[in-house]
């Protein structure tokens, strides 16, 4: 049949990324101290398209993803997958991102009851081909960690009580492909930078502990951000990072926000 995508385009515009977005795909990933699991992921994938091609071949993206989705390293062999995609589509660069929910069993601090906590995570990769033996590859690991913040100012100026609220710490890191950072470790370390961790299940004894712990550990978003930055700086594996903390304020109709990137 006629291959319309391979027809010539005369507008002279190279497209940086073209592909598919919102593909729902089961993905087998490794866990640190548990059996591998299959998670639900949403995929964005694209490649560069030279100016002389009318279009790319969308079905080839799904073909490769379906073939590679069980070849796991951190999630799948992401580098091998994007290399195969760019090769199959005769492209010079490629982009691949898996967004997914990741569940970790958390134990309540006093009663010791276990219940799953959900975290938004992603694996992201970018590949640039400069020649037969010359390529640049970057892998990114991302996570959003919900925490509690308690306002130091509110605690200081109030006769009793202090406003507290949920906050979200978003972290995106890069590290060498021969190294490995577990989601469980990254999430756990970020949670320790909070006024208090969050839990899915709290009995009254647990709620008392969490409330009092937050009160004794007040932090601004600036405090959270700086603590997370110091945490990531101490990790010799990490090459670069982005950190964002958004506190969804309980006494304002806006959020408090802080951001830092390094590397």
């Amino acid at each position: 049949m006629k291959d319309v995508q391979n027809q010539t385009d005369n507008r002279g515009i190279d497209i940086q990324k073209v592909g598919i977005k919102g593909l729902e795909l089961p993905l087998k990933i490794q866990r640190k101290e548990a059996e591998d699991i299959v998670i639900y992921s949403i995929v964005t994938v694209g490649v560069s398209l030279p100016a002389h091609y009318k279009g790319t071949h969308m079905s080839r993206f799904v073909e490769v993803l379906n073939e590679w989705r069980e070849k796991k390293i951190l999630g799948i062999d992401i580098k091998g997958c994007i290399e195969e995609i760019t090769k199959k589509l005769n492209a010079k660069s490629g982009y691949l991102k898996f967004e997914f929910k990741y569940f970790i069993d958390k134990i309540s601090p006093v009663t010791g009851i276990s219940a799953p906590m959900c975290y938004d995570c992603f694996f992201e990769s970018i590949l640039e081909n400069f020649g037969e033996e010359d390529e640049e590859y970057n892998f990114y690991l991302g996570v959003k960690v919900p925490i509690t913040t308690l306002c130091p100012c509110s605690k200081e100026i109030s006769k009793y009580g202090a406003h507290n609220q949920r906050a979200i710490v978003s972290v995106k890191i890069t590290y060498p492909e021969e190294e490995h950072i577990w989601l469980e470790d990254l999430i756990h370390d970020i949670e320790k930078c909070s006024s208090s961790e969050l839990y899915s299940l709290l009995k009254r004894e647990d709620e008392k502990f969490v409330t009092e712990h937050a009160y004794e550990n007040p932090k601004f978003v600036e405090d959270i951000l700086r603590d997370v930055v110091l945490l990531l700086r101490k990790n010799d594996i990490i090459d670069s990072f982005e950190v964002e903390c958004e506190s969804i304020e309980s006494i304002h109709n806006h959020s408090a926000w802080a951001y830092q990137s390094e590397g």
Side-chain angles (χ1 to χ4, degrees), residues 137-199:
Y137 174 75
N138 289 292
F139 171 77
Y140 302 90
L141 176 63
V143 63
K144 291 184 177 180
V145 181
I147 61 169
T148 291
T149 58
L150 186 136
C151 179
C153 179
S154 177
K155 178 181 177 179
E156 181 67 25
I157 65 177
S158 301
K159 290 183 179 180
Y160 47 87
H163 80 80
N164 58 89
Q165 53 275 316
R166 187 183 305 177
I168 304 294
V169 180
S170 302
V171 171
K172 179 178 179 178
I173 61 174
T174 63
Y175 51 88
E177 59 185 283
E178 67 271 10
E179 300 289 351
H180 192 83
I181 292 179
W182 292 102
L183 279 169
E184 290 89 341
D185 291 338
L186 182 60
I187 290 167
H188 176 74
D189 289 342
I190 294 169
E191 288 177 328
K192 294 302 180 185
C193 297
S194 64
S195 291
S196 176
E197 299 182 37
L198 297 188
Y199 300 85

Side-chain angles (χ1 to χ4, degrees), residues 6 47-50 52-53 55-57 60-61 82-94 129:
N6 277 340
V47 296
S48 58
L49 185 71
H52 58 275
Y53 284 122
T56 191
H57 294 80
R60 296 179 186 177
F61 293 104
I82 195 61
E83 285 179 333
E84 181 66 20
I85 287 171
T86 55
K87 180 181 177 181
K88 192 155 191 171
L89 287 150
N90 195 28
K92 292 295 184 182
S93 66
N129 288 312

Side-chain angles (χ1 to χ4, degrees), residues 202-253:
L202 294 173
K203 305 297 282 185
R204 281 173 295 181
E205 303 94 320
D206 302 306
E207 186 173 351
K208 178 179 184 296
F209 174 87
V210 169
T211 303
E212 293 175 345
H213 179 73
Y215 189 78
E216 295 300 327
N217 193 30
K219 289 190 176 186
F220 294 123
V221 290
E222 296 93 331
D223 297 312
I224 303 291
L225 182 86
R226 286 174 172 140
D227 287 344
V228 175
V229 166
L230 289 175
L231 167 74
L232 299 176
R233 283 179 180 174
K234 290 177 183 178
N235 192 325
D236 294 333
I237 295 176
I238 295 174
D239 292 327
S240 66
F241 60 81
E242 294 181 43
V243 182
E244 179 178 346
C245 182
E246 180 183 3
S247 180
I248 306 162
E249 296 290 279
S250 60
I251 63 169
H252 303 291
N253 192 28

Side-chain angles (χ1 to χ4, degrees), residues 11-75:
R11 284 167 284 188
I13 299 175
D14 293 319
I15 297 179
Q16 295 171 347
K17 293 187 186 77
V18 59
I20 57 178
K21 187 174 185 178
L23 174 68
E24 298 172 298
L25 191 74
L27 187 68
K28 181 180 284 188
I29 64 174
Q30 289 176 303
R31 297 168 67 85
K32 184 180 180 182
E33 295 176 348
E35 294 182 357
D36 300 342
I37 59 169
V38 176
I39 53 96
Y40 163 82
S41 70
I42 299 177
V43 186
T44 301
V45 58
V47 296
S48 58
L49 185 71
H52 58 275
Y53 284 122
K54 184 174 183 62
T56 191
H57 294 80
M58 299 294 181
S59 63
R60 296 179 186 177
F61 293 104
V62 183
E63 287 175 344
V64 177
L65 287 166
N66 187 54
E67 177 187 351
W68 282 75
R69 63 187 173 87
E70 293 192 0
K71 297 181 181 181
K72 55 190 181 301
I73 291 182
L74 187 60

